[in-house]
Amino acid sequence: MPDPGPPAPRDADSAIDQFIAHLASRNASPGTLVEYRRQITEFTRFLQSCDVDWRRPDRATVRAWLATLAARELSASAVGSRVSAIRSFYRHAVRHGWIDANPMAGIRSPRRPSRLPRVLTVDEAARLVEAPGRWSGDSMPASHATERRRRMPAELEAALLRRDAAILELLYATGMRISELSGLGLPDVDLARRRLRVLGKGRKERDLLFGRPAAAALGLYLAGGRPYLAARAGSGPPDGGAVFLNASGGALTARGARLIVDRWVTATGVTGRASPHTLRHSFATHLLEGGADLRTVQELLGHASAQTTQIYTHLSDAALRSAYRSSHPRAEPAKSGSGDDR
């Protein structure tokens, strides 16, 4: 029996507002709310252009909409996320009695190509996270120009380098998401025990561990870098006790932290496309290669399901196969005509 819930919406926009409010009440992330609203609104605007009631789109109209996505050459992932968002929206409408049936039922998302995420080697990861400690003075990467002031004071440069070192070390040492790092508050850090408490997806808290290199980098930043940056805020907005601050003394955003990682990737010349999530993938893969069990990695990453973590076993297996093929004298078939295949 449908849940009566809120009154039936007057139009598509009201229905979307109510659905987004429902997601927000269930602790959906701000990013999810923005994307769901954008994707569902895009669909209802298409229906409006076809003079089709948002409550009763037929299968032909849905297929026509999918054809427009194909014409835009969107990736399978992008199409799949739209189908998923719209299906959830209509499922909510059915549950509350706004419509009788979900028009997206039976619409399959396109198969996404099975692509393993990029993972750094242990040496690449070390080169990246240790980079800020090797830069000083005029050798600071030119890619930091957006954060630099003319004739940057030596104290500011030192504070930023300490901050960047702590960010990179923590991302690799804990596998945390960039949003979790930007959300860290000073009470969340236990430097003596080398532990952090982060707020992950679904507003679920979990504890993370980190080693001595990350503790050393974080300790230097908290002792010298952060106080200097905080003092630069002046009469600006308070930092709210955020661990990581920007050059103006305000709380560092997830976007700002992502840019910092991007700059150091460029400065160190780490091959391929590396991102904050690459450090998360590398953290998980290197743990498994070092002998950690899947359940432990799942807990540290904050995955609700072990199936999500399972991909890292494939990554680890791929690394093992590569090491075997390059190391064992009989790992590869003998070349034809070499005389070794008798």
Side-chain angles (χ1 to χ4, degrees), residues 332-341:
E332 297 295 335
K335 295 180 180 178
S336 177
S338 66
D340 293 335
D341 54 350

Side-chain angles (χ1 to χ4, degrees), residues 227-241:
Y228 179 85
L229 294 177
R232 288 174 60 83
S235 59
D239 58 51

Side-chain angles (χ1 to χ4, degrees), residues 6-20:
R10 300 182 308 276
D11 51 34
D13 289 343
S14 299
I16 295 170
D17 287 342
Q18 290 189 26
F19 175 59
I20 296 300

Side-chain angles (χ1 to χ4, degrees), residues 33-46:
L33 300 180
V34 169
E35 282 302 296
Y36 268 46
R37 181 182 291 278
R38 181 180 65 80
Q39 292 165 349
I40 299 166
T41 300
E42 179 185 279
F43 179 70
T44 58
R45 293 287 186 271
F46 173 81

Side-chain angles (χ1 to χ4, degrees), residues 1 26 31 33 37-38 40 55 58 70 79 97 106 118 128 137 140 156-157 159 162 165 170 182 188 219 316 325 341:
M1 184 175 180
R26 301 190 58 164
L33 300 180
R37 181 182 291 278
R38 181 180 65 80
I40 299 166
R55 292 164 295 189
D58 55 27
V79 175
R118 164 95 169 108
L128 176 58
M140 193 170 184
L156 175 57
E157 181 183 70
R162 287 183 175 185
L170 279 181
S182 65
D188 301 323
S316 183
R325 284 196 298 266
D341 54 350

Side-chain angles (χ1 to χ4, degrees), residues 205-253:
E205 288 188 343
R206 72 183 190 282
D207 288 335
L208 299 177
L209 312 173
F210 54 92
R212 293 183 188 280
L218 183 58
L220 282 172
Y221 166 68
L222 292 177
R226 189 187 184 282
Y228 179 85
L229 294 177
R232 288 174 60 83
S235 59
D239 58 51
V243 171
F244 291 106
L245 307 180
N246 59 32
S248 300
L252 185 70
T253 63

Side-chain angles (χ1 to χ4, degrees), residues 83-91 102 104 107-109:
V83 170
S84 177
I86 295 162
R87 185 185 292 123
S88 297
F89 167 66
Y90 278 114
R91 189 183 300 127
N102 189 338
M104 299 299 290
I107 300 295
R108 292 185 179 181
S109 299

Side-chain angles (χ1 to χ4, degrees), residues 193-332:
R193 297 174 62 211
R194 304 205 299 270
R195 298 177 75 98
L196 298 172
R197 174 155 292 188
V198 297
L199 191 63
K201 288 188 174 180
R203 302 192 66 78
K204 293 180 181 177
E205 288 188 343
R206 72 183 190 282
D207 288 335
L208 299 177
L209 312 173
F210 54 92
R212 293 183 188 280
L218 183 58
L220 282 172
Y221 166 68
L222 292 177
R226 189 187 184 282
Y228 179 85
L229 294 177
R232 288 174 60 83
S235 59
D239 58 51
V243 171
F244 291 106
L245 307 180
N246 59 32
S248 300
L252 185 70
T253 63
R255 181 175 180 276
R258 191 174 288 108
L259 287 173
I260 288 167
V261 177
D262 290 344
R263 291 168 191 158
W264 284 107
V265 167
T266 301
T268 55
V270 170
T271 57
R273 289 189 62 187
S275 68
H277 228 62
T278 305
L279 286 170
R280 179 170 164 86
H281 295 321
S282 304
F283 159 83
T285 303
H286 296 167
L287 273 181
L288 287 168
E289 289 175 352
D293 64 272
L294 191 65
R295 176 63 179 167
T296 299
V297 176
Q298 177 191 346
E299 287 290 326
L300 291 172
L301 291 174
H303 287 162
S305 167
Q307 285 186 324
T308 310
T309 319
Q310 196 75 31
I311 188 172
Y312 297 110
T313 64
H314 302 318
L315 289 168
S316 183
D317 288 345
L320 290 174
R321 286 196 300 272
S322 176
Y324 176 80
R325 284 196 298 266
S326 64
S327 305
H328 197 279
R330 298 184 65 81
E332 297 295 335

